Amino acid sequence: MNESRDRIRREREREKNTYTSPRHALRRVLLLAEGRQFREAAAVVSRLGPGVLQSVAAELPIDLLIESLPHSSHLIETLLNRLLTLEILPRPELQCDAVAWRLVGLLGGDQGANLKGRTSRLSSALVQYSPDARDAVDSRRRQLDAAVQGLGSHGLTADGSGTLISLHVAMKNELQRHVESSVTVNQDPASSSHQRLLALSHADVERRLIDNKSLLTIVDKPALRQLPTLVASLAARVDNDKAVLACIGQIKRSDPTLDLSDTRFNVDR
């Protein structure tokens, strides 16, 4: 009997403390959040019914809560879990991608190890509420890993003799050899007309063959075959650097608060 009375009393207390007006509930949550009383604000959210909760979630300035992370992690976690528990559909848009990238920035900082325990429950709730946010982070991580690995291709390269030198010097030497090996031929353009070519004699063809073979012998040397490889290597390096800068730009746009001006990459070269 006493247990039944206690249960009824608790239910009445709960009803008394439950906000039935979305406007009043939102105002209360905002006041507590502005005062950085995030746990008290989370307690209010945990008591909201489905209709009021959906309205509050739609009007709540999530961007301000994201800026307050990790201190606001319990409030955001409670909001996500409450929406999941009550199966609110359609799910309100809560900038889950922005929350995820803010967590990435925090956990990747100097205090990341200390913040992991405080944000782990929020991370779990975020994955359940918006699996796409986790997939986006995983995809970006793989993209960045591949781009960073490409930074290791900017080492020395071997020239024709096998000596390790910089790519720019190797290309300069290779181009110089091409210039020095070139042959200047003064030929009347009219002699290459279709009618003239059909009127060539046997001796003319033999002479042309000898001239072309001589030119091919000059330029078709192992020392002069490295240029396409060097050009391909240079193009790959350009693409790798573009990929890295593109990834950094995406991270900056995901979380403008991150300072990437002194970014360092650890790459096995």
Side-chain angles (χ1 to χ4, degrees), residues 134-158:
R134 179 185 60 182
D135 295 341
V137 172
D138 287 343
S139 175
R140 191 77 57 80
R141 178 184 57 79
R142 290 192 296 269
Q143 183 182 8
L144 182 59
D145 285 345
V148 171
Q149 288 300 320
L151 291 175
S153 67
H154 287 253
L156 299 177
T157 187

PDB file of all heavy atoms in Angstrom, residues 134-158:
ATOM      1  N   ARG A 134      28.522   9.602 -38.613  1.00  0.00           N
ATOM      2  CA  ARG A 134      29.703   8.753 -38.424  1.00  0.00           C
ATOM      3  C   ARG A 134      30.291   8.343 -39.766  1.00  0.00           C
ATOM      4  O   ARG A 134      31.515   8.339 -39.945  1.00  0.00           O
ATOM      5  CB  ARG A 134      29.332   7.511 -37.621  1.00  0.00           C
ATOM      6  CG  ARG A 134      30.508   6.550 -37.400  1.00  0.00           C
ATOM      7  CD  ARG A 134      30.088   5.276 -36.709  1.00  0.00           C
ATOM      8  NE  ARG A 134      29.095   4.548 -37.490  1.00  0.00           N
ATOM      9  CZ  ARG A 134      28.528   3.408 -37.086  1.00  0.00           C
ATOM     10  NH1 ARG A 134      28.846   2.896 -35.913  1.00  0.00           N
ATOM     11  NH2 ARG A 134      27.635   2.802 -37.851  1.00  0.00           N
ATOM     12  N   ASP A 135      29.425   7.994 -40.717  1.00  0.00           N
ATOM     13  CA  ASP A 135      29.916   7.592 -42.034  1.00  0.00           C
ATOM     14  C   ASP A 135      30.678   8.734 -42.702  1.00  0.00           C
ATOM     15  O   ASP A 135      31.692   8.505 -43.379  1.00  0.00           O
ATOM     16  CB  ASP A 135      28.747   7.153 -42.919  1.00  0.00           C
ATOM     17  CG  ASP A 135      28.062   5.895 -42.399  1.00  0.00           C
ATOM     18  OD1 ASP A 135      28.696   5.174 -41.598  1.00  0.00           O
ATOM     19  OD2 ASP A 135      26.905   5.644 -42.781  1.00  0.00           O
ATOM     20  N   ALA A 136      30.193   9.962 -42.516  1.00  0.00           N
ATOM     21  CA  ALA A 136      30.873  11.117 -43.115  1.00  0.00           C
ATOM     22  C   ALA A 136      32.258  11.302 -42.510  1.00  0.00           C
ATOM     23  O   ALA A 136      33.232  11.590 -43.223  1.00  0.00           O
ATOM     24  CB  ALA A 136      30.031  12.378 -42.919  1.00  0.00           C
ATOM     25  N   VAL A 137      32.358  11.130 -41.196  1.00  0.00           N
ATOM     26  CA  VAL A 137      33.658  11.267 -40.530  1.00  0.00           C
ATOM     27  C   VAL A 137      34.610  10.162 -40.984  1.00  0.00           C
ATOM     28  O   VAL A 137      35.785  10.412 -41.270  1.00  0.00           O
ATOM     29  CB  VAL A 137      33.487  11.240 -39.001  1.00  0.00           C
ATOM     30  CG1 VAL A 137      34.845  11.187 -38.304  1.00  0.00           C
ATOM     31  CG2 VAL A 137      32.715  12.466 -38.532  1.00  0.00           C
ATOM     32  N   ASP A 138      34.108   8.929 -41.069  1.00  0.00           N
ATOM     33  CA  ASP A 138      34.952   7.813 -41.506  1.00  0.00           C
ATOM     34  C   ASP A 138      35.442   8.024 -42.939  1.00  0.00           C
ATOM     35  O   ASP A 138      36.608   7.762 -43.258  1.00  0.00           O
ATOM     36  CB  ASP A 138      34.172   6.496 -41.415  1.00  0.00           C
ATOM     37  CG  ASP A 138      33.980   6.034 -39.981  1.00  0.00           C
ATOM     38  OD1 ASP A 138      34.710   6.535 -39.104  1.00  0.00           O
ATOM     39  OD2 ASP A 138      33.104   5.187 -39.735  1.00  0.00           O
ATOM     40  N   SER A 139      34.538   8.484 -43.804  1.00  0.00           N
ATOM     41  CA  SER A 139      34.919   8.722 -45.195  1.00  0.00           C
ATOM     42  C   SER A 139      35.975   9.807 -45.294  1.00  0.00           C
ATOM     43  O   SER A 139      36.958   9.677 -46.039  1.00  0.00           O
ATOM     44  CB  SER A 139      33.682   9.111 -46.014  1.00  0.00           C
ATOM     45  OG  SER A 139      34.035   9.449 -47.337  1.00  0.00           O
ATOM     46  N   ARG A 140      35.796  10.887 -44.529  1.00  0.00           N
ATOM     47  CA  ARG A 140      36.774  11.975 -44.551  1.00  0.00           C
ATOM     48  C   ARG A 140      38.116  11.515 -43.982  1.00  0.00           C
ATOM     49  O   ARG A 140      39.175  11.931 -44.462  1.00  0.00           O
ATOM     50  CB  ARG A 140      36.230  13.147 -43.742  1.00  0.00           C
ATOM     51  CG  ARG A 140      37.016  14.440 -43.885  1.00  0.00           C
ATOM     52  CD  ARG A 140      36.710  15.125 -45.200  1.00  0.00           C
ATOM     53  NE  ARG A 140      35.299  15.383 -45.340  1.00  0.00           N
ATOM     54  CZ  ARG A 140      34.657  16.407 -44.772  1.00  0.00           C
ATOM     55  NH1 ARG A 140      35.319  17.251 -44.007  1.00  0.00           N
ATOM     56  NH2 ARG A 140      33.374  16.590 -44.986  1.00  0.00           N
ATOM     57  N   ARG A 141      38.076  10.655 -42.968  1.00  0.00           N
ATOM     58  CA  ARG A 141      39.325  10.156 -42.383  1.00  0.00           C
ATOM     59  C   ARG A 141      40.102   9.326 -43.400  1.00  0.00           C
ATOM     60  O   ARG A 141      41.324   9.478 -43.531  1.00  0.00           O
ATOM     61  CB  ARG A 141      39.026   9.313 -41.142  1.00  0.00           C
ATOM     62  CG  ARG A 141      40.269   8.707 -40.491  1.00  0.00           C
ATOM     63  CD  ARG A 141      39.903   7.802 -39.329  1.00  0.00           C
ATOM     64  NE  ARG A 141      39.008   6.732 -39.741  1.00  0.00           N
ATOM     65  CZ  ARG A 141      39.411   5.626 -40.365  1.00  0.00           C
ATOM     66  NH1 ARG A 141      40.694   5.457 -40.663  1.00  0.00           N
ATOM     67  NH2 ARG A 141      38.542   4.694 -40.703  1.00  0.00           N
ATOM     68  N   ARG A 142      39.391   8.440 -44.115  1.00  0.00           N
ATOM     69  CA  ARG A 142      40.073   7.629 -45.125  1.00  0.00           C
ATOM     70  C   ARG A 142      40.640   8.507 -46.237  1.00  0.00           C
ATOM     71  O   ARG A 142      41.746   8.262 -46.735  1.00  0.00           O
ATOM     72  CB  ARG A 142      39.099   6.597 -45.704  1.00  0.00           C
ATOM     73  CG  ARG A 142      38.723   5.486 -44.724  1.00  0.00           C
ATOM     74  CD  ARG A 142      37.997   4.361 -45.439  1.00  0.00           C
ATOM     75  NE  ARG A 142      36.732   4.804 -45.999  1.00  0.00           N
ATOM     76  CZ  ARG A 142      35.572   4.756 -45.357  1.00  0.00           C
ATOM     77  NH1 ARG A 142      35.524   4.285 -44.119  1.00  0.00           N
ATOM     78  NH2 ARG A 142      34.460   5.168 -45.934  1.00  0.00           N
ATOM     79  N   GLN A 143      39.884   9.518 -46.614  1.00  0.00           N
ATOM     80  CA  GLN A 143      40.353  10.430 -47.656  1.00  0.00           C
ATOM     81  C   GLN A 143      41.600  11.178 -47.202  1.00  0.00           C
ATOM     82  O   GLN A 143      42.564  11.335 -47.962  1.00  0.00           O
ATOM     83  CB  GLN A 143      39.237  11.420 -48.000  1.00  0.00           C
ATOM     84  CG  GLN A 143      39.572  12.374 -49.131  1.00  0.00           C
ATOM     85  CD  GLN A 143      38.448  13.363 -49.400  1.00  0.00           C
ATOM     86  OE1 GLN A 143      37.473  13.431 -48.649  1.00  0.00           O
ATOM     87  NE2 GLN A 143      38.572  14.133 -50.453  1.00  0.00           N
ATOM     88  N   LEU A 144      41.594  11.625 -45.956  1.00  0.00           N
ATOM     89  CA  LEU A 144      42.750  12.351 -45.425  1.00  0.00           C
ATOM     90  C   LEU A 144      43.953  11.430 -45.277  1.00  0.00           C
ATOM     91  O   LEU A 144      45.088  11.826 -45.559  1.00  0.00           O
ATOM     92  CB  LEU A 144      42.395  12.984 -44.080  1.00  0.00           C
ATOM     93  CG  LEU A 144      43.492  13.822 -43.417  1.00  0.00           C
ATOM     94  CD1 LEU A 144      43.906  14.972 -44.319  1.00  0.00           C
ATOM     95  CD2 LEU A 144      43.024  14.351 -42.068  1.00  0.00           C
ATOM     96  N   ASP A 145      43.719  10.183 -44.836  1.00  0.00           N
ATOM     97  CA  ASP A 145      44.824   9.225 -44.711  1.00  0.00           C
ATOM     98  C   ASP A 145      45.512   9.016 -46.061  1.00  0.00           C
ATOM     99  O   ASP A 145      46.748   9.000 -46.151  1.00  0.00           O
ATOM    100  CB  ASP A 145      44.310   7.882 -44.186  1.00  0.00           C
ATOM    101  CG  ASP A 145      43.984   7.933 -42.700  1.00  0.00           C
ATOM    102  OD1 ASP A 145      44.422   8.887 -42.038  1.00  0.00           O
ATOM    103  OD2 ASP A 145      43.284   7.025 -42.211  1.00  0.00           O
ATOM    104  N   ALA A 146      44.690   8.847 -47.105  1.00  0.00           N
ATOM    105  CA  ALA A 146      45.263   8.638 -48.436  1.00  0.00           C
ATOM    106  C   ALA A 146      46.029   9.872 -48.902  1.00  0.00           C
ATOM    107  O   ALA A 146      47.106   9.768 -49.500  1.00  0.00           O
ATOM    108  CB  ALA A 146      44.150   8.297 -49.433  1.00  0.00           C
ATOM    109  N   ALA A 147      45.478  11.050 -48.611  1.00  0.00           N
ATOM    110  CA  ALA A 147      46.141  12.284 -49.031  1.00  0.00           C
ATOM    111  C   ALA A 147      47.454  12.488 -48.288  1.00  0.00           C
ATOM    112  O   ALA A 147      48.466  12.884 -48.875  1.00  0.00           O
ATOM    113  CB  ALA A 147      45.212  13.474 -48.799  1.00  0.00           C
ATOM    114  N   VAL A 148      47.449  12.201 -46.984  1.00  0.00           N
ATOM    115  CA  VAL A 148      48.667  12.376 -46.194  1.00  0.00           C
ATOM    116  C   VAL A 148      49.744  11.393 -46.641  1.00  0.00           C
ATOM    117  O   VAL A 148      50.931  11.729 -46.700  1.00  0.00           O
ATOM    118  CB  VAL A 148      48.362  12.204 -44.690  1.00  0.00           C
ATOM    119  CG1 VAL A 148      49.643  12.156 -43.873  1.00  0.00           C
ATOM    120  CG2 VAL A 148      47.485  13.352 -44.207  1.00  0.00           C
ATOM    121  N   GLN A 149      49.340  10.171 -46.972  1.00  0.00           N
ATOM    122  CA  GLN A 149      50.319   9.208 -47.469  1.00  0.00           C
ATOM    123  C   GLN A 149      50.973   9.709 -48.748  1.00  0.00           C
ATOM    124  O   GLN A 149      52.143   9.438 -49.014  1.00  0.00           O
ATOM    125  CB  GLN A 149      49.643   7.851 -47.718  1.00  0.00           C
ATOM    126  CG  GLN A 149      49.263   7.105 -46.452  1.00  0.00           C
ATOM    127  CD  GLN A 149      50.457   6.812 -45.570  1.00  0.00           C
ATOM    128  OE1 GLN A 149      51.525   6.460 -46.060  1.00  0.00           O
ATOM    129  NE2 GLN A 149      50.280   6.964 -44.270  1.00  0.00           N
ATOM    130  N   GLY A 150      50.204  10.450 -49.549  1.00  0.00           N
ATOM    131  CA  GLY A 150      50.760  10.997 -50.781  1.00  0.00           C
ATOM    132  C   GLY A 150      51.848  12.019 -50.543  1.00  0.00           C
ATOM    133  O   GLY A 150      52.682  12.269 -51.423  1.00  0.00           O
ATOM    134  N   LEU A 151      51.862  12.619 -49.345  1.00  0.00           N
ATOM    135  CA  LEU A 151      52.917  13.583 -49.042  1.00  0.00           C
ATOM    136  C   LEU A 151      54.291  12.927 -49.032  1.00  0.00           C
ATOM    137  O   LEU A 151      55.307  13.584 -49.246  1.00  0.00           O
ATOM    138  CB  LEU A 151      52.656  14.230 -47.673  1.00  0.00           C
ATOM    139  CG  LEU A 151      51.457  15.176 -47.580  1.00  0.00           C
ATOM    140  CD1 LEU A 151      51.265  15.625 -46.143  1.00  0.00           C
ATOM    141  CD2 LEU A 151      51.659  16.375 -48.483  1.00  0.00           C
ATOM    142  N   GLY A 152      54.320  11.624 -48.772  1.00  0.00           N
ATOM    143  CA  GLY A 152      55.594  10.924 -48.722  1.00  0.00           C
ATOM    144  C   GLY A 152      56.235  10.711 -50.076  1.00  0.00           C
ATOM    145  O   GLY A 152      57.358  10.215 -50.160  1.00  0.00           O
ATOM    146  N   SER A 153      55.544  11.069 -51.160  1.00  0.00           N
ATOM    147  CA  SER A 153      56.100  10.871 -52.501  1.00  0.00           C
ATOM    148  C   SER A 153      56.972  12.036 -52.946  1.00  0.00           C
ATOM    149  O   SER A 153      57.414  12.073 -54.087  1.00  0.00           O
ATOM    150  CB  SER A 153      54.960  10.682 -53.513  1.00  0.00           C
ATOM    151  OG  SER A 153      54.208  11.876 -53.644  1.00  0.00           O
ATOM    152  N   HIS A 154      57.216  12.992 -52.053  1.00  0.00           N
ATOM    153  CA  HIS A 154      57.971  14.184 -52.436  1.00  0.00           C
ATOM    154  C   HIS A 154      59.450  14.082 -52.064  1.00  0.00           C
ATOM    155  O   HIS A 154      60.101  15.092 -51.813  1.00  0.00           O
ATOM    156  CB  HIS A 154      57.355  15.426 -51.779  1.00  0.00           C
ATOM    157  CG  HIS A 154      56.058  15.834 -52.399  1.00  0.00           C
ATOM    158  ND1 HIS A 154      55.925  16.944 -53.198  1.00  0.00           N
ATOM    159  CD2 HIS A 154      54.841  15.256 -52.362  1.00  0.00           C
ATOM    160  CE1 HIS A 154      54.676  17.044 -53.610  1.00  0.00           C
ATOM    161  NE2 HIS A 154      53.998  16.027 -53.114  1.00  0.00           N
ATOM    162  N   GLY A 155      59.968  12.868 -52.024  1.00  0.00           N
ATOM    163  CA  GLY A 155      61.376  12.701 -51.712  1.00  0.00           C
ATOM    164  C   GLY A 155      62.246  12.842 -52.947  1.00  0.00           C
ATOM    165  O   GLY A 155      61.842  13.374 -53.981  1.00  0.00           O
ATOM    166  N   LEU A 156      63.482  12.344 -52.846  1.00  0.00           N
ATOM    167  CA  LEU A 156      64.416  12.415 -53.966  1.00  0.00           C
ATOM    168  C   LEU A 156      64.052  11.385 -55.026  1.00  0.00           C
ATOM    169  O   LEU A 156      63.379  10.392 -54.754  1.00  0.00           O
ATOM    170  CB  LEU A 156      65.840  12.169 -53.462  1.00  0.00           C
ATOM    171  CG  LEU A 156      66.366  13.165 -52.422  1.00  0.00           C
ATOM    172  CD1 LEU A 156      67.763  12.760 -51.966  1.00  0.00           C
ATOM    173  CD2 LEU A 156      66.373  14.584 -52.976  1.00  0.00           C
ATOM    174  N   THR A 157      64.522  11.642 -56.242  1.00  0.00           N
ATOM    175  CA  THR A 157      64.288  10.714 -57.343  1.00  0.00           C
ATOM    176  C   THR A 157      65.619  10.402 -58.010  1.00  0.00           C
ATOM    177  O   THR A 157      66.580  11.178 -57.906  1.00  0.00           O
ATOM    178  CB  THR A 157      63.307  11.316 -58.371  1.00  0.00           C
ATOM    179  OG1 THR A 157      62.967  10.335 -59.342  1.00  0.00           O
ATOM    180  CG2 THR A 157      63.919  12.522 -59.070  1.00  0.00           C
ATOM    181  N   ALA A 158      65.682   9.265 -58.673  1.00  0.00           N
ATOM    182  CA  ALA A 158      66.935   8.848 -59.314  1.00  0.00           C
ATOM    183  C   ALA A 158      67.012   9.406 -60.728  1.00  0.00           C
ATOM    184  O   ALA A 158      66.028   9.377 -61.473  1.00  0.00           O
ATOM    185  CB  ALA A 158      67.031   7.326 -59.341  1.00  0.00           C
TER     186      ALA A 158
END
